[in-house]
Amino acid sequence: MNTNRTLASFILHKALACYFLSAVFVFGIMLVFFFENQKNIQAEQAKIYGKFVAEKLQDVSTASLGDLVAHMGTLDAIALNDEFNVGIATKSTDTLWFKTEVSSADTPRRQWSTSVSNVQLGIISVTTSAPLQPIYDALLYKAQSYLVLLVVQLLFLWALFKFLVVRFIRRAIQLLSRDLEILNLKNPTPLAGDPILSGFSEYRRILVDINRVITSLVVSRNQVERMNEQLEEKVREKTLSLEEKNNTLVQLNQHLSTLANTDSLTQVYNRTRFDLLFRENVAVSQRRKTNLSLLLIDLDDFKNVNDQYGHQVGDQVLKHVAQSLSETLGDHGILARWGGEEFAVLLPYYDEQRARGMGEILRQSIDTAYFEDQQIHITLSVGVARLGDDETGNQLLNRADMALYEAKESGRNRVIVAKSVEQKQLTFEALSNPK
Ligand SMILES: Nc1nc2c(ncn2[C@@H]2O[C@H](COP(=O)(O)OP(=O)(O)OP(=O)(O)O)[C@@H](O)[C@H]2O)c(=O)[nH]1
């Protein structure tokens, strides 16, 4: 189907074709009537003419055909009127035809004649017939003129139709399509339609249908919006509940992580966490060639506290000592419970000198404090060691432990710095090579 074809031009062509066919049909019928009418008229005239000829021949006394023929020649009226075929016969002769198209011996060619009339007067019989050719000629002329008229009519109708109807239909469709184009799909409102076109039922019906679609569109959109809002509300609720669950999970996770990394009694890092931090710090220090010192702290004669005040009081003392150490240390180092009544402090970027200073500060902070209603006095022994070049974490721990041992051995409540790896080396060499 040709997509450029418009509805208006389609209607125009169909209408003209219908008009053409119906006009041809009506004209055909008219021609038939005309033909029949002409034939009747001619037959009537032929009959009258036959009578006229017969009356003229009535006076002729002779009965021979030859005489009649001779007499016929004298009849001007017959000779002049060549519209009809005239045949004369007596009882004893054949019909003699007075027309060039009909031979004297022939009977009239009925198929080409309208009708044959016979007039019998005495022994003479006059036969007349009218040829159809003039009617056919008139018919042809009529058909040709009518055809020309029809073509002119069609052209005129085409122009008129195009000007009035096609323009009108096109306008109606253009108005509808313009209304639909400017239709706000987000907030569609029913089309008002063209006031003139609204007088036509088809236009009104289309308008009603379109407006029904628009109304259902609005209803559907409202439903979708409502569903969206409900969905969003549900998603919001779900998100909130998920967020709440997530927060709970995060808190639980934090709690678990705290539990996993914190000593339950003293609330400082436990041994597991310290081991990890210790390994990390040793690795960083070795890689960056930076200082790292370790303090091992042991509460002096703690057994006496337990023995004297009971294990529970011992626990409280341990707790308070840890809190006090943590506050004093601040963010200068990492404090952990090493085990039992022992603590470890990791001091990144601290050399022996500064580490000893920090050990001393911590020792004094406990030495000057009294716990459990000012009754219990506690002292600390501290072993200090700095990570030497190419020294492992275990070696550092051993040296710090040895320093702590030395602090205990030499009277407790003191800070002892372990010999550096280099010093130990020198000592070892001196012992191996005595002078
Ligand atoms: N209350 C309590 N006591 C603990 C805890 N862990 C270890 N202890 C006690 O700490 C004491 C350690 O005793 P020792 O190893 O003899 O050392 P000390 O008495 O501190 O003596 P020195 O370390 O030589 O100065 C023991 O009595 C342990 O029961 C604990 O978590 N709570």
Side-chain angles (χ1 to χ4, degrees), residues 298-299 301-303 306 311 315 337 340-341 408 412:
D298 190 281
L299 273 61
D301 298 322
F302 192 65
K303 186 175 179 305
N306 276 334
H311 207 267
D315 279 354
R337 188 177 178 193
E341 85 293 10
K408 290 275 182 190
R412 296 181 173 80

Side-chain angles (χ1 to χ4, degrees), residues 265 305-306 309-318 372:
L265 175 68
V305 176
N306 276 334
Y309 300 100
H311 207 267
Q312 276 188 333
V313 173
D315 279 354
Q316 290 308 308
V317 172
L318 265 179
E372 295 302 297

